[in-house]
């Protein structure tokens, strides 16, 4: 009888464990929130500094010998950071969805120092982050981080990403086509058009 009860207990535990079938990834800057932080390009020889004023400028930047990218302004999330309500609503719905079959992440180009800052900022918006994981790539490509997650959850069959960077989305799409061709992919690039936030499907 004891063996039967133990077997039944294990069966109930296994049945309660929901497989992760959906992965949802959000960028932070200019996706979840408008930020005033800028990336600086520092010439190590001359000390000259220039500022990249948009994600498009950062995407187009080509590294020159002697130059270094400075992300120091991205270590904190200052008070003047404004939530992008349309994306925040989507994020909140995904995070607070009652189904346990999804994992929601924020993958940002910021340094790891900013992870707790982002967490505090979103919790101050009354978002229950629950099991949301926040990862800072320190300016590196996001593709390897997403690939690692998908390898950890082989049951995933649906992937959605929100990111304002064309480069990030292109890199991730190429990785998904090569390594995970059977997963349904939806890439969305938030943009402001005529003063309105739009979230079109990324097709480039």
């Amino acid at each position: 009888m004891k063996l039967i009860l133990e077997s039944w207990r294990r069966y109930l535990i296994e049945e309660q464990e929901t497989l992760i079938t959906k992965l949802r990834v959000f960028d932070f800057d200019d996706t979840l929130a408008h930020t005033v932080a800028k990336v600086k390009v520092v010439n190590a020889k001359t000390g000259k500094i220039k500022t990249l004023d948009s994600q498009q400028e950062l995407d187009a930047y080509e590294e020159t010998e002697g130059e270094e990218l400075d992300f120091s302004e991205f270590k904190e999330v200052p008070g003047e950071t404004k939530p992008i309500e349309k994306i925040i609503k989507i994020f909140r719905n995904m995070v607070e969805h009652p189904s346990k079959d999804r994992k929601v992440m924020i993958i940002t180009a910021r340094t790891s120092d900013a992870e707790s800052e982002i967490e505090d900022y979103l919790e101050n918006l009354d978002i229950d982050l629950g099991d949301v994981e926040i990862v800072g790539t320190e300016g590196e490509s996001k593709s390897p981080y997403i690939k690692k997650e998908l390898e950890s959850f082989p049951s995933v069959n649906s992937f959605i990403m929100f990111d304002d960077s064309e480069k990030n989305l292109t890199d991730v799409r190429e990785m998904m086509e090569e390594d995970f061709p059977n997963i349904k992919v939806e890439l969305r690039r938030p943009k402001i058009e005529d003063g309105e936030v739009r979230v079109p499907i990324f097709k480039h």
Side-chain angles (χ1 to χ4, degrees):
M1 176 62 76
K2 186 176 180 180
L3 286 174
I4 294 174
L5 289 174
E6 180 62 21
S7 297
W8 179 248
R9 186 186 68 82
R10 287 201 303 268
Y11 171 79
L12 290 176
I13 292 174
E14 290 171 359
E15 285 296 300
Q16 290 171 358
E17 293 179 352
T18 304
L19 288 175
I20 299 297
T21 62
K22 301 177 178 66
L23 179 63
R24 309 302 189 228
V25 173
F26 290 77
D27 177 40
F28 182 72
D29 294 286
D30 294 324
T31 297
L32 286 170
H34 287 302
T35 55
V36 296
K38 304 292 183 184
V39 179
K40 297 176 181 178
V41 181
V42 181
N43 189 304
K45 294 181 179 179
T46 66
K48 184 177 179 180
I49 298 175
K50 61 182 178 181
T51 302
L52 302 179
D53 293 322
S54 67
Q55 182 65 53
Q56 289 71 31
E57 289 187 19
L58 178 58
D59 286 347
Y61 171 75
E62 295 183 3
E63 187 173 348
T64 302
E65 185 177 354
E67 289 185 343
E68 296 180 354
L69 292 179
D70 178 0
F71 288 88
S72 59
E73 290 189 11
F74 290 86
K75 291 183 178 180
E76 300 179 349
V77 180
E80 57 266 41
T81 303
K82 302 297 183 184
I84 301 177
E85 296 294 348
K86 188 168 186 175
I87 316 297
I88 287 290
K89 183 178 180 180
I90 295 171
F91 176 75
R92 187 192 300 272
N93 288 340
M94 289 187 176
V95 170
E96 298 179 355
H97 195 282
S99 174
K100 303 300 182 183
D101 66 341
R102 68 198 62 208
K103 178 173 183 179
V104 181
M105 300 182 68
I106 295 172
I107 302 183
T108 172
R110 289 173 177 249
T111 66
S112 57
D113 294 338
E115 293 170 6
S116 60
E117 289 271 323
I118 292 173
E119 181 178 358
D120 290 344
Y121 176 81
L122 293 171
E123 287 183 342
N124 285 334
L125 297 178
D126 293 324
I127 299 176
D128 182 3
L129 293 181
D131 297 325
V132 173
E133 184 177 356
I134 302 174
V135 178
T137 71
E138 304 191 14
E140 295 180 0
S141 172
K142 298 180 180 182
S143 292
Y145 295 86
I146 294 171
K147 181 177 180 179
K148 181 180 177 181
E149 286 299 316
L150 292 172
E151 289 174 342
S152 299
F153 296 101
S155 52
V156 168
N157 55 36
S158 172
F159 170 72
I160 300 178
M161 181 176 183
F162 294 79
D163 199 305
D164 67 308
S165 167
E166 180 176 345
K167 183 178 186 301
N168 284 334
L169 293 173
T170 299
D171 287 349
V172 169
R173 182 171 61 189
E174 290 176 354
M175 180 273 292
M176 294 296 296
E177 289 175 349
E178 180 175 348
D179 297 319
F180 305 98
N182 296 322
I183 294 179
K184 181 181 179 181
V185 177
E186 184 177 310
L187 304 177
R188 291 189 174 267
R189 185 186 181 195
K191 55 178 65 176
I192 298 176
E193 297 177 348
D194 300 324
E196 182 179 350
V197 176
R198 302 183 186 279
V199 198
I201 292 177
F202 179 68
K203 296 181 179 179
H204 294 135

